Amino acid sequence: MTNTEPEPITIEPTVEVERPVMLQGWYNLTALHWQYEPSVIQALLPGGFTVDTFDGVAWVGLIPFHMRRIRLPRTPALGPLSTFPETNVRTYIRDENGRRGVWFFSLDVSRILPALVARVTYGLPYCWSSMTMSEQADADAQIRTYTSRRKWPRGEASSSVTVRVGRELLKSELTELDHFLTARWALGSSFGSRRLWANIHHGAWPLHVAEVLHCDESLLSAAGLPLPTGTPIARWSPGVDVRIAMPRIAGKIKG
């Protein structure tokens, strides 16, 4: 019998990945999130995945960060091939058993080989882009800037984000929405007519206050999303180390 009740939102991992097929580090991460109508997001998901909502609202994130040391277990990282900037556009989903996960509309990276490998193995919509990351001091704060311009597949898609990083939030200051947007221990994807599901393990995200100084992006519209409205919720994190499991077939795409 299918359980449609979603998993509870927890700050600690709900799954173990004892035999990962991929090890990664997600560092210097900025997360900008906008509200969307759930029906708008649901229309972009394959049948069998349901948009996850918080107080009846769907959320879409623009997430630039520094991918570090992608590697297979028990193998060394491959220098520049394993460490590079990434910017993804994502939303939040539940599967037919109520498990919570992430759905990626796009993932832009500055290395074409990892983009091609991830498309083939995980069915994820990786793209090849020219990207930069920089930081500068501003009194007691750090200014972080991320840029991305897509090169393949061709099309107008770019982003330029600058944030001022503030103090770290205490655990007692984190909101239920913070947990909803960050405590995700799986990803969903599609490959042909199949839905895939892969468990993810990492520690709880250390989150900092962040102020958006500049945001000019077209990655959301390139993913088929309406232009976002309003000021995004912003957070910054120094990052976490990640263990990713083998993707499993979750069923056929419905509809």
Side-chain angles (χ1 to χ4, degrees):
M1 181 176 179
T2 299
N3 175 23
T4 58
E5 287 296 319
E7 290 181 332
I9 300 172
T10 62
I11 192 170
E12 298 296 337
T14 58
V15 300
E16 291 293 334
V17 178
E18 296 179 355
R19 295 183 178 179
V21 295
M22 190 74 66
L23 303 176
Q24 303 179 357
W26 300 342
Y27 292 98
N28 184 14
L29 180 145
T30 289
L32 308 183
H33 281 95
W34 290 268
Q35 297 185 20
Y36 275 82
E37 287 291 332
S39 60
V40 171
I41 307 303
Q42 186 64 53
L44 298 175
L45 299 177
F49 289 143
T50 302
V51 60
D52 202 2
T53 61
F54 185 86
D55 286 344
V57 175
W59 292 85
V60 170
L62 178 69
I63 319 287
F65 65 99
H66 197 200
M67 176 76 81
R68 293 185 190 170
R69 303 185 69 240
I70 282 187
R71 62 202 186 280
L72 301 175
R74 297 179 294 280
T75 62
L78 299 176
L81 286 176
S82 298
T83 297
F84 45 81
E86 177 172 327
T87 299
N88 62 59
V89 177
R90 70 190 230 180
T91 192
Y92 305 97
I93 59 171
R94 290 182 280 112
D95 72 355
E96 292 174 303
N97 295 311
R99 295 180 297 181
R100 298 181 187 272
V102 174
W103 175 267
F104 292 102
F105 290 113
S106 64
L107 307 95
D108 285 69
V109 295
S110 60
R111 298 286 185 268
I112 191 168
L113 182 58
L116 294 174
V117 170
R119 275 181 174 257
V120 171
T121 55
Y122 281 83
L124 293 171
Y126 268 87
C127 306
W128 179 34
S129 297
S130 59
M131 310 183 78
T132 65
M133 296 175 58
S134 64
E135 67 175 274
Q136 65 185 79
D138 176 33
D140 294 329
Q142 293 288 326
I143 306 297
R144 306 276 181 168
T145 297
Y146 313 77
T147 69
S148 172
R149 183 169 297 278
R150 190 171 294 168
K151 299 196 291 188
W152 176 86
R154 292 194 176 277
E156 292 298 323
S158 63
S159 66
S160 176
V161 173
T162 301
V163 298
R164 178 183 288 113
V165 179
R167 65 179 181 84
E168 183 174 0
L169 292 165
L170 301 174
K171 285 186 178 181
S172 60
E173 296 177 298
L174 297 175
T175 67
E176 284 297 304
L177 181 57
D178 284 322
H179 299 328
F180 175 86
L181 298 174
T182 62
R184 296 282 160 167
W185 319 115
L187 65 86
S189 64
S190 61
F191 196 91
S193 63
R194 303 285 183 174
R195 289 177 288 117
L196 303 181
W197 194 261
N199 287 333
I200 299 172
H201 184 277
H202 57 73
W205 287 95
L207 296 178
H208 289 238
V209 174
E211 176 189 359
V212 180
L213 302 180
H214 172 76
C215 180
D216 182 12
E217 67 80 31
S218 57
L219 294 178
L220 273 67
S221 59
L225 291 156
L227 291 175
T229 59
T231 302
I233 291 176
R235 291 285 187 261
W236 180 86
S237 177
V240 294
D241 291 315
V242 184
R243 299 160 61 87
I244 303 177
M246 177 75 73
R248 304 293 183 183
I249 294 175
K252 289 187 177 180
I253 295 175
K254 298 182 177 182

